[in-house]
Amino acid sequence: MSVTNRATISSTITVSAARQRSGSTSHTDSTKLNYGFPEKHGAASGNSDPVPPQEEGVVNPYLAQWSTKAHKRFMSEVYLKNHCVSEVIWHLADANPKSLIRERSFSGAQQVVRQLDSVGGFAAFPHVVGMCCVLSSLSNIDPKSGSFFCAGELFFRYHEPKFVDNPEYPAGDSFAVDKVKSAKDLFDVVISPNNIGGDLEKVPVKVSNQEFDTWPKGLACLTIKFKGTFAQGFDLRYFPFDVHYLTIMWKLNLVEDSERWGTLCIPDYQYDENEQARASFGWKYGIKALMLPDWNLYEARITFGNAHFLKPEAEPMGHITFWQLRIQREYGFWMYNVVGLSGVIASMSFLVFGMDSENLADRLGVLLTLLLTLVAFKFVIADALPSVPYMTTLDKYLSAGLFMVFITSIAITIGHAYIFEDNGDEHENSTKLDDVDRRYILPVCAALWISFNLYFFSRIYMMRSFVRRTHGKPLPIVYEGKRCDFPVL
């Protein structure tokens, strides 16, 4: 958002008589979208309803904060120390060297909250809201269509002045969102740019006043339930050892005529082991205990900044938060049932060196049988493999097994032809062929196959170490209720 294209910040937003006469609608007009983001400042996303203009002379309490010293302190001591600056929106890892990527774990948002508390908390900055996203359901992870389905809740905390010592809004009570204008305005501007097909369902649940005694007076908490399908690119080159990043983008679609214009958003962390309602698994890691047998889940990650991830200026801006869940495929099944079985079949090609070296036809018959077995095995599991235009790690291993059987067949055929080409004594030729097999063909083929497998499994170990080092340990599986297990084998 360019400073030159904005009006000077003022605590009072008015609609000019000239605009009313001309019938222009300023920034609520629809504009061309770029991946769900407005190309021009203030353009509303197609997922949000148009916001009516401010009435003349009405003071916007959020915009008024931008001219205060408290706001400058918040920007310098909290926001600028934690936000993300990048010219690349969808792929932050590809950002240029001047970009500043500040990604933190879900629990790491606690540091942002502590920094906010150190300068006065939400009460000192009424235009600041803290957002917390907790996932309760995850399914339909589809690499082919590039999408996944999830459901969960959004929690927005902010200071509501009319909640302070007001008998109409008692502390500890909850109210309908429609009865609290600040909450209703916040609900209206929440969208998700990477939601597919506009099927995002948002349901305003409640807005509470000082939900716990440990919270300060006037602290409101807006709860929104959501569910929908979200777009996500999947890279399956390393299947079945692949790691994916399921990202939900949450945007406050703020435009100049919005009732919430001037609001700033930061990540929030509400886990509290002393409060039973905030001490659960989901509040700690950002995702409730999900039973996904095919995947290992890691703690959610958060990146936030203004709507274009540009360097903030001294003016209001839209806000976007990347809520990212990292998942790794559970590859035990593929190791035991595919890699292990195909490796054993390919290794059986060395059994031909125990057969009579003169019987080339019998030896080639065994190798051809193994080759056809591997081909048939690959066709059997084809439906379970991802259909992609490139070779995955599993494809490479299966192809290596086929190549090993093929190389063994070529080697013993060439050896047989070389030894028997002079038509010498048959017994002597047979002895020579056995010697060639033991000294050259078997050691070379075995060395190739063993070296490849050592390299393959060492890469798996290195991959596991890298994931553990960068992602930490997978989230523990929490079982609700008593389990009754009886191991059969």
Side-chain angles (χ1 to χ4, degrees):
M1 298 183 183
S2 172
V3 179
T4 58
N5 293 331
R6 286 289 176 83
T8 306
I9 297 176
S10 169
S11 61
T12 303
I13 297 181
T14 61
V15 180
S16 66
R19 184 194 301 176
Q20 293 178 4
R21 287 193 298 270
S22 64
S24 63
T25 57
S26 181
H27 301 286
T28 56
D29 295 336
S30 63
T31 59
K32 182 180 178 182
L33 298 182
N34 179 21
Y35 298 106
F37 299 91
E39 289 186 346
K40 303 297 183 181
H41 70 282
S45 169
N47 292 349
S48 61
D49 297 329
V51 183
Q54 296 277 352
E55 297 181 1
E56 186 173 355
V58 175
V59 176
N60 184 323
Y62 310 113
L63 185 60
Q65 294 292 323
W66 282 70
S67 59
T68 64
K69 293 182 178 180
H71 170 76
K72 295 179 180 179
R73 186 182 181 188
F74 166 79
M75 293 296 289
S76 62
E77 298 188 24
V78 181
Y79 193 87
L80 294 178
K81 291 182 178 180
N82 298 284
H83 82 301
C84 173
V85 179
S86 173
E87 293 183 1
V88 181
I89 295 178
W90 289 83
H91 301 287
L92 296 180
D94 299 332
N96 61 52
K98 295 183 179 180
S99 299
L100 182 60
I101 310 299
R102 291 192 178 103
E103 184 188 62
R104 64 183 67 252
S105 63
F106 180 83
S107 58
Q110 184 177 14
Q111 180 182 357
V112 181
V113 178
R114 288 175 177 173
Q115 291 176 353
L116 180 66
D117 291 339
S118 67
V119 294
F122 287 103
F125 312 100
H127 64 312
V128 176
V129 299
M131 187 190 78
C132 179
C133 176
V134 178
L135 215 61
S136 59
S137 174
L138 177 63
S139 61
N140 296 342
I141 302 175
D142 188 359
K144 290 185 179 180
S145 64
S147 64
F148 65 96
F149 177 86
C150 69
E153 293 177 303
L154 289 173
F155 301 89
F156 292 91
R157 290 199 301 176
Y158 64 95
H159 179 72
E160 175 53 68
K162 69 178 181 181
F163 277 2
V164 180
D165 298 327
N166 187 345
E168 186 178 352
Y169 299 97
D173 285 1
S174 300
F175 316 96
V177 175
D178 291 338
K179 293 184 178 180
V180 183
K181 188 177 184 302
S182 60
K184 179 63 169 59
D185 295 339
L186 185 57
F187 172 81
D188 290 339
V189 299
V190 176
I191 65 172
S192 178
N194 70 323
N195 174 243
I196 296 179
D199 69 339
L200 178 66
E201 295 184 23
K202 293 190 307 175
V203 179
V205 179
K206 64 178 181 177
V207 56
S208 59
N209 175 22
Q210 195 181 351
E211 192 168 343
F212 304 102
D213 294 336
T214 54
W215 287 11
K217 291 184 177 180
L219 185 61
C221 183
L222 167 65
T223 303
I224 302 173
K225 286 189 176 182
F226 72 89
K227 62 179 179 179
T229 303
F230 300 87
Q232 179 64 55
F234 292 90
D235 186 356
L236 298 173
R237 288 176 298 170
Y238 306 115
F239 175 88
F241 312 101
D242 44 333
V243 178
H244 300 290
Y245 307 90
L246 305 182
T247 303
I248 306 176
M249 302 180 191
W250 294 114
K251 182 183 178 185
L252 296 189
N253 193 40
L254 302 176
V255 294
E256 288 188 9
D257 290 336
S258 169
E259 298 288 345
R260 269 284 178 177
W261 180 244
T263 297
L264 282 164
C265 184
I266 61 174
D268 193 12
Y269 188 67
Q270 299 185 26
Y271 173 75
D272 187 350
E273 59 182 6
N274 297 319
E275 295 287 352
Q276 185 176 359
R278 290 294 188 272
S280 64
F281 185 90
W283 288 106
K284 187 173 184 179
Y285 297 108
I287 179 170
K288 294 185 178 179
L290 303 180
M291 299 298 293
L292 297 176
D294 294 339
W295 302 94
N296 288 322
L297 306 181
Y298 295 85
E299 185 177 357
R301 310 287 297 183
I302 299 174
T303 306
F304 76 101
N306 62 46
H308 296 278
F309 279 135
L310 300 176
K311 183 178 180 181
E313 304 288 351
E315 59 178 8
M317 51 194 171
H319 292 271
I320 192 165
T321 298
F322 278 46
W323 189 97
Q324 188 179 82
L325 177 65
R326 302 187 175 186
I327 61 175
Q328 181 186 26
R329 193 182 303 272
E330 180 58 59
Y331 53 82
F333 167 84
W334 300 96
M335 287 292 294
Y336 300 137
N337 296 283
V338 179
V339 173
L341 184 56
S342 62
V344 168
I345 295 175
S347 300
M348 291 179 67
S349 61
F350 297 113
L351 295 179
V352 298
F353 294 102
M355 300 174 62
D356 190 353
S357 59
E358 296 180 0
N359 298 328
L360 178 62
D362 292 342
R363 301 175 86 184
L364 290 178
V366 172
L367 292 173
L368 181 59
T369 301
L370 294 175
L371 192 66
L372 293 176
T373 302
L374 285 173
V375 172
F377 178 69
K378 191 171 183 178
F379 274 105
V380 168
I381 65 173
D383 291 339
L385 299 178
S387 179
V388 291
Y390 48 81
M391 293 189 68
T392 66
T393 298
L394 187 59
D395 291 331
K396 294 176 182 178
Y397 189 87
L398 293 174
S399 299
L402 290 170
F403 183 74
M404 188 67 248
V405 178
F406 173 75
I407 285 295
T408 304
S409 303
I410 295 298
I412 64 172
T413 301
I414 293 177
H416 188 278
Y418 175 76
I419 296 299
F420 283 87
E421 68 176 354
D422 57 357
N423 296 321
D425 180 75
E426 185 175 341
H427 178 73
E428 182 180 353
N429 288 340
S430 178
T431 304
K432 289 181 180 179
L433 185 57
D434 289 339
D435 187 61
V436 170
D437 283 349
R438 290 193 303 269
R439 288 192 177 186
Y440 303 105
I441 300 179
L442 176 60
V444 171
C445 292
L448 288 174
W449 183 238
I450 293 174
S451 299
F452 171 77
N453 279 274
L454 289 176
Y455 174 78
F456 179 79
F457 288 105
S458 66
R459 293 292 293 178
I460 294 177
Y461 176 79
M462 292 171 64
M463 179 273 299
R464 291 186 57 184
S465 301
F466 174 78
V467 172
R468 182 65 61 89
R469 185 170 63 254
T470 55
H471 295 46
K473 295 182 179 180
L475 295 180
I477 298 177
V478 180
Y479 296 94
E480 297 181 359
K482 185 178 180 181
R483 298 184 63 200
C484 183
D485 289 345
F486 182 82
V488 179
L489 289 176

